[in-house]
Amino acid sequence: MIDVDGVTRRFGDFTAVDGVSLHIPRGEIVGLLGHNGAGKTTLMKMITGFLEPTAGSIRVDGHEVTAEPRAVQALIGYLPENCPLYPDMTVMEYLEFQAGLHGLAGAERDAALARAVRLTELAPKALQPIQTLSRGYRQRVGVAQAILHRPRILILDEPTNGLDPTQILHMRGLIRDLAEESTVIVSTHILQEVQAVCERVVILRAGRKVVDARLDELQRDGRLRVTLDRAEAEARPVLEALAPVRRVEAAERRFIYVLDADPGQAPEVGRAVQGAGFALYGLCPEQRSLEAVFAEAETAGEVRDVA
């Protein structure tokens, strides 16, 4: 559906996106994650045709973005981080205006408007001026304009930015509903939003892709957490004979060791530590959070690709 091949974008001497490649198949929900300034918005603007790459190429559903920007944009619904709304218009006036820009008319336009209002739960505010709406309802108007033409690709830049907890829950549910018929890219720097709605995460750091993996694969990574009664100097040689020791944590009089080992090696680890005369207090797979993955990506230089 979306193929990004070695894309770079420079602004003078500053490189905002540096040699990024990725493939997003139809129907996937992808979280584009990174600190502010990591290159997320620049990459999305290139995918949508608002910016041209300095190098590399992007194809969307077989269309080369630079050569056929209008064909690509017809396939995409886009919610920018700060969606440009017309505050003097009512919600319906604004959506009717956007429908006209998409070439929707007559019964097709009416059906599109009704669907967008229903999905975003905007009916109670439909006749109110946009300037009177809360931040949450303005975000809903932005999403409504993005889905009017039933896009095959939906790109949402910080969709929950500034929303209260109730509005965030509604937005998450809406994204899941929209993903039933669209490929969705959610760009954010908020880890919980990726964890809540996405199947796959792409992490950018300083314009480069450092992680591209399915969330379930990342969080089931091959590690074992072993809790023993022995300090590192005594336990490490025994454990490293089985697998590299990634991390050691001291907790009161017990020591926790994290091994780069498949969970299926747990019986072997257990036999080895008991054979060495150690007391085994705990042995289980390491459950990794997205926060841990993100922290590792910020310090590692290599690309992690499990997609």
Side-chain angles (χ1 to χ4, degrees):
M1 191 68 178
I2 301 174
D3 290 288
V4 178
D5 185 13
V7 165
T8 295
R9 173 67 196 200
R10 299 187 185 92
F11 297 93
D13 294 332
F14 175 69
T15 301
V17 174
D18 189 0
V20 171
S21 297
L22 58 94
H23 170 71
I24 301 175
R26 193 181 310 277
E28 196 165 50
I29 309 176
V30 178
L32 189 58
L33 186 61
H35 287 304
N36 291 331
K40 305 185 302 296
T41 297
T42 300
L43 179 59
M44 288 187 298
K45 286 183 176 179
M46 289 190 287
I47 292 173
T48 57
F50 287 102
L51 283 176
E52 290 190 6
T54 305
S57 64
I58 302 172
R59 299 186 71 83
V60 176
D61 200 29
H63 300 281
E64 209 284 321
V65 173
T66 303
E68 304 175 84
R70 296 299 183 195
V72 169
Q73 288 163 3
L75 300 171
I76 294 175
Y78 183 35
L79 173 68
E81 181 176 2
N82 297 300
C83 186
L85 303 174
Y86 296 97
D88 293 333
M89 286 184 171
T90 67
V91 171
M92 289 308 298
E93 286 171 344
Y94 175 75
L95 293 179
E96 288 170 358
F97 169 68
Q98 291 290 334
L101 294 179
H102 287 298
L104 300 173
E108 183 184 20
R109 182 200 64 176
D110 294 343
L113 290 169
R115 173 180 174 272
V117 168
R118 174 177 54 81
L119 288 175
T120 54
E121 298 183 5
L122 278 169
K125 308 292 183 180
L127 301 180
Q128 287 190 212
I130 291 173
Q131 63 188 355
T132 67
L133 301 182
S134 67
R135 173 63 189 263
Y137 273 107
R138 291 188 185 206
Q139 283 288 82
R140 295 189 196 191
V141 174
V143 174
Q145 63 81 28
I147 65 175
L148 271 171
H149 57 303
R150 299 184 83 111
R152 297 171 66 182
I153 299 166
L154 189 60
I155 298 178
L156 307 175
D157 194 353
E158 302 288 359
T160 60
N161 190 22
L163 304 188
D164 65 34
T166 300
Q167 294 166 338
I168 288 172
L169 289 175
H170 174 267
M171 185 65 72
R172 289 175 180 175
L174 178 57
I175 290 170
R176 293 188 197 100
D177 290 341
L178 294 171
E180 293 180 4
E181 61 179 47
S182 301
T183 299
V184 181
I185 301 174
V186 178
S187 170
T188 184
H189 63 281
I190 302 173
L191 302 176
Q192 293 88 341
E193 296 312 305
V194 173
Q195 190 114 31
V197 299
C198 298
E199 303 163 343
R200 173 181 166 196
V201 61
V202 174
I203 300 179
L204 298 182
R205 177 168 59 85
R208 295 185 177 182
K209 184 179 76 170
V210 292
V211 171
D212 185 354
R214 291 187 59 83
L215 279 173
D216 55 358
E217 293 293 334
L218 276 177
Q219 294 171 320
R220 283 203 313 266
D221 205 10
R223 295 188 192 177
L224 282 172
R225 186 179 180 90
V226 186
T227 307
L228 304 175
D229 66 340
R230 302 302 170 96
E232 183 177 0
E234 191 175 355
R236 182 178 281 272
V238 173
L239 295 176
E240 285 194 332
L242 303 168
V245 177
R246 176 177 287 267
R247 190 173 72 251
V248 179
E249 303 167 5
E252 298 177 356
R253 291 184 225 178
R254 301 177 185 180
F255 290 83
I256 299 170
Y257 300 85
V258 178
L259 313 184
D260 279 336
D262 188 277
Q265 288 183 259
E268 181 183 350
V269 173
R271 286 191 295 269
V273 298
Q274 288 180 326
F278 303 161
L280 179 62
Y281 291 102
L283 178 58
C284 62
E286 165 99 315
Q287 297 297 316
R288 302 176 67 211
S289 66
L290 185 56
E291 286 86 349
V293 173
F294 186 73
E296 291 170 14
E298 286 300 296
T299 57
E302 73 279 2
V303 174
R304 176 65 182 265
D305 194 333
V306 193

